[in-house]
Amino acid sequence: EQAEYLSENIPWQDTAWAEVWKYKSTRTVDPNEVDDKLFPMQDEAGNNYAMDVVSDSNLVFIMSIYDIESVSHETMKKFDDIAVQAQSKGYNFVFLNSDSPEVLAKYQATYEMGSYPRYFSDNTYLKAAIRSNPGLIVVQEGVVLGKYHHKDVPSFDELIQMPICSKSGYRA
């Protein structure tokens, strides 16, 4: 029988176990390592930008929408305002959506969206990341700093005052 133990959980005081155990190997996991199995963030050509987006050393604001036809124009205006402020301060703002390019184009025909990168992902991933439609996810260096329902999004000034990512130790 094989078992894996964290170092602090090795049953070294169990004499029966100590008599029969055999060392196999050591496995280390870096908790600060960015997982490369992120949900996809693909452009229309199928290029995946997930690692580029979430591993950015600056704050990244991700607007997640899994059903754009149900999003009001007032809500989009609120997110567009955050996008403009974020980009003016040098932060990235991306739009992540699970609707087809045709549905997105139909929505854009009635509402002019801001100028920010648009990526596609599966709605299951988006709903797992944040239940709100739309929602805002704030990320820095692979660490999620905040998730916000569209009705509870703080002001931009409050968003950028979030705790500093522990990996970088500073805010750019």
PDB file of all heavy atoms in Angstrom, residues 100-112:
ATOM      1  N   SER A 100     -21.309  33.506 -28.723  1.00  0.00           N
ATOM      2  CA  SER A 100     -20.668  33.364 -30.029  1.00  0.00           C
ATOM      3  C   SER A 100     -20.291  34.743 -30.567  1.00  0.00           C
ATOM      4  O   SER A 100     -20.867  35.758 -30.166  1.00  0.00           O
ATOM      5  CB  SER A 100     -21.628  32.678 -31.005  1.00  0.00           C
ATOM      6  OG  SER A 100     -22.713  33.548 -31.301  1.00  0.00           O
ATOM      7  N   PRO A 101     -19.323  34.799 -31.477  1.00  0.00           N
ATOM      8  CA  PRO A 101     -18.965  36.084 -32.085  1.00  0.00           C
ATOM      9  C   PRO A 101     -20.165  36.771 -32.744  1.00  0.00           C
ATOM     10  O   PRO A 101     -20.271  37.989 -32.745  1.00  0.00           O
ATOM     11  CB  PRO A 101     -17.900  35.713 -33.116  1.00  0.00           C
ATOM     12  CG  PRO A 101     -17.290  34.461 -32.578  1.00  0.00           C
ATOM     13  CD  PRO A 101     -18.427  33.728 -31.911  1.00  0.00           C
ATOM     14  N   GLU A 102     -21.112  35.980 -33.274  1.00  0.00           N
ATOM     15  CA  GLU A 102     -22.302  36.549 -33.907  1.00  0.00           C
ATOM     16  C   GLU A 102     -23.202  37.243 -32.884  1.00  0.00           C
ATOM     17  O   GLU A 102     -23.707  38.340 -33.132  1.00  0.00           O
ATOM     18  CB  GLU A 102     -23.095  35.455 -34.645  1.00  0.00           C
ATOM     19  CG  GLU A 102     -22.365  34.821 -35.811  1.00  0.00           C
ATOM     20  CD  GLU A 102     -21.330  33.764 -35.395  1.00  0.00           C
ATOM     21  OE1 GLU A 102     -21.460  33.192 -34.292  1.00  0.00           O
ATOM     22  OE2 GLU A 102     -20.382  33.538 -36.167  1.00  0.00           O
ATOM     23  N   VAL A 103     -23.398  36.610 -31.734  1.00  0.00           N
ATOM     24  CA  VAL A 103     -24.217  37.215 -30.677  1.00  0.00           C
ATOM     25  C   VAL A 103     -23.541  38.478 -30.159  1.00  0.00           C
ATOM     26  O   VAL A 103     -24.202  39.500 -29.928  1.00  0.00           O
ATOM     27  CB  VAL A 103     -24.472  36.205 -29.529  1.00  0.00           C
ATOM     28  CG1 VAL A 103     -25.121  36.868 -28.328  1.00  0.00           C
ATOM     29  CG2 VAL A 103     -25.328  35.051 -30.024  1.00  0.00           C
ATOM     30  N   LEU A 104     -22.241  38.423 -29.990  1.00  0.00           N
ATOM     31  CA  LEU A 104     -21.491  39.595 -29.533  1.00  0.00           C
ATOM     32  C   LEU A 104     -21.602  40.735 -30.547  1.00  0.00           C
ATOM     33  O   LEU A 104     -21.825  41.887 -30.179  1.00  0.00           O
ATOM     34  CB  LEU A 104     -20.030  39.238 -29.280  1.00  0.00           C
ATOM     35  CG  LEU A 104     -19.134  40.347 -28.757  1.00  0.00           C
ATOM     36  CD1 LEU A 104     -19.655  40.923 -27.443  1.00  0.00           C
ATOM     37  CD2 LEU A 104     -17.714  39.840 -28.576  1.00  0.00           C
ATOM     38  N   ALA A 105     -21.483  40.414 -31.820  1.00  0.00           N
ATOM     39  CA  ALA A 105     -21.591  41.440 -32.867  1.00  0.00           C
ATOM     40  C   ALA A 105     -22.980  42.067 -32.872  1.00  0.00           C
ATOM     41  O   ALA A 105     -23.123  43.285 -33.041  1.00  0.00           O
ATOM     42  CB  ALA A 105     -21.273  40.826 -34.227  1.00  0.00           C
ATOM     43  N   LYS A 106     -23.999  41.260 -32.644  1.00  0.00           N
ATOM     44  CA  LYS A 106     -25.377  41.775 -32.583  1.00  0.00           C
ATOM     45  C   LYS A 106     -25.525  42.749 -31.414  1.00  0.00           C
ATOM     46  O   LYS A 106     -26.133  43.813 -31.552  1.00  0.00           O
ATOM     47  CB  LYS A 106     -26.349  40.599 -32.447  1.00  0.00           C
ATOM     48  CG  LYS A 106     -27.795  40.983 -32.369  1.00  0.00           C
ATOM     49  CD  LYS A 106     -28.664  39.744 -32.205  1.00  0.00           C
ATOM     50  CE  LYS A 106     -30.057  40.130 -31.772  1.00  0.00           C
ATOM     51  NZ  LYS A 106     -30.836  38.968 -31.378  1.00  0.00           N
ATOM     52  N   TYR A 107     -24.950  42.402 -30.276  1.00  0.00           N
ATOM     53  CA  TYR A 107     -25.009  43.285 -29.099  1.00  0.00           C
ATOM     54  C   TYR A 107     -24.245  44.579 -29.385  1.00  0.00           C
ATOM     55  O   TYR A 107     -24.717  45.669 -29.082  1.00  0.00           O
ATOM     56  CB  TYR A 107     -24.431  42.577 -27.873  1.00  0.00           C
ATOM     57  CG  TYR A 107     -24.577  43.372 -26.589  1.00  0.00           C
ATOM     58  CD1 TYR A 107     -25.741  43.291 -25.843  1.00  0.00           C
ATOM     59  CD2 TYR A 107     -23.558  44.193 -26.140  1.00  0.00           C
ATOM     60  CE1 TYR A 107     -25.889  44.013 -24.667  1.00  0.00           C
ATOM     61  CE2 TYR A 107     -23.699  44.924 -24.967  1.00  0.00           C
ATOM     62  CZ  TYR A 107     -24.852  44.821 -24.239  1.00  0.00           C
ATOM     63  OH  TYR A 107     -25.002  45.550 -23.084  1.00  0.00           O
ATOM     64  N   GLN A 108     -23.075  44.455 -29.982  1.00  0.00           N
ATOM     65  CA  GLN A 108     -22.251  45.625 -30.278  1.00  0.00           C
ATOM     66  C   GLN A 108     -22.914  46.544 -31.305  1.00  0.00           C
ATOM     67  O   GLN A 108     -22.621  47.728 -31.344  1.00  0.00           O
ATOM     68  CB  GLN A 108     -20.867  45.198 -30.776  1.00  0.00           C
ATOM     69  CG  GLN A 108     -20.009  44.619 -29.683  1.00  0.00           C
ATOM     70  CD  GLN A 108     -18.688  44.108 -30.213  1.00  0.00           C
ATOM     71  OE1 GLN A 108     -18.652  43.255 -31.091  1.00  0.00           O
ATOM     72  NE2 GLN A 108     -17.603  44.644 -29.681  1.00  0.00           N
ATOM     73  N   ALA A 109     -23.807  45.999 -32.122  1.00  0.00           N
ATOM     74  CA  ALA A 109     -24.509  46.820 -33.103  1.00  0.00           C
ATOM     75  C   ALA A 109     -25.466  47.801 -32.421  1.00  0.00           C
ATOM     76  O   ALA A 109     -25.730  48.879 -32.943  1.00  0.00           O
ATOM     77  CB  ALA A 109     -25.271  45.936 -34.080  1.00  0.00           C
ATOM     78  N   THR A 110     -25.945  47.439 -31.235  1.00  0.00           N
ATOM     79  CA  THR A 110     -26.865  48.327 -30.515  1.00  0.00           C
ATOM     80  C   THR A 110     -26.174  49.101 -29.399  1.00  0.00           C
ATOM     81  O   THR A 110     -26.716  50.080 -28.907  1.00  0.00           O
ATOM     82  CB  THR A 110     -28.028  47.528 -29.898  1.00  0.00           C
ATOM     83  OG1 THR A 110     -27.517  46.573 -28.977  1.00  0.00           O
ATOM     84  CG2 THR A 110     -28.837  46.833 -30.971  1.00  0.00           C
ATOM     85  N   TYR A 111     -25.010  48.635 -28.985  1.00  0.00           N
ATOM     86  CA  TYR A 111     -24.293  49.312 -27.912  1.00  0.00           C
ATOM     87  C   TYR A 111     -22.811  49.310 -28.230  1.00  0.00           C
ATOM     88  O   TYR A 111     -22.215  48.246 -28.374  1.00  0.00           O
ATOM     89  CB  TYR A 111     -24.520  48.611 -26.559  1.00  0.00           C
ATOM     90  CG  TYR A 111     -23.766  49.279 -25.438  1.00  0.00           C
ATOM     91  CD1 TYR A 111     -24.222  50.469 -24.892  1.00  0.00           C
ATOM     92  CD2 TYR A 111     -22.590  48.752 -24.956  1.00  0.00           C
ATOM     93  CE1 TYR A 111     -23.527  51.111 -23.886  1.00  0.00           C
ATOM     94  CE2 TYR A 111     -21.881  49.380 -23.953  1.00  0.00           C
ATOM     95  CZ  TYR A 111     -22.353  50.552 -23.413  1.00  0.00           C
ATOM     96  OH  TYR A 111     -21.661  51.187 -22.434  1.00  0.00           O
ATOM     97  N   GLU A 112     -22.237  50.477 -28.347  1.00  0.00           N
ATOM     98  CA  GLU A 112     -20.813  50.573 -28.647  1.00  0.00           C
ATOM     99  C   GLU A 112     -20.008  50.318 -27.377  1.00  0.00           C
ATOM    100  O   GLU A 112     -20.061  51.090 -26.425  1.00  0.00           O
ATOM    101  CB  GLU A 112     -20.480  51.951 -29.206  1.00  0.00           C
ATOM    102  CG  GLU A 112     -19.053  52.045 -29.684  1.00  0.00           C
ATOM    103  CD  GLU A 112     -18.755  53.376 -30.346  1.00  0.00           C
ATOM    104  OE1 GLU A 112     -19.653  53.953 -30.959  1.00  0.00           O
ATOM    105  OE2 GLU A 112     -17.603  53.812 -30.220  1.00  0.00           O
TER     106      GLU A 112
END
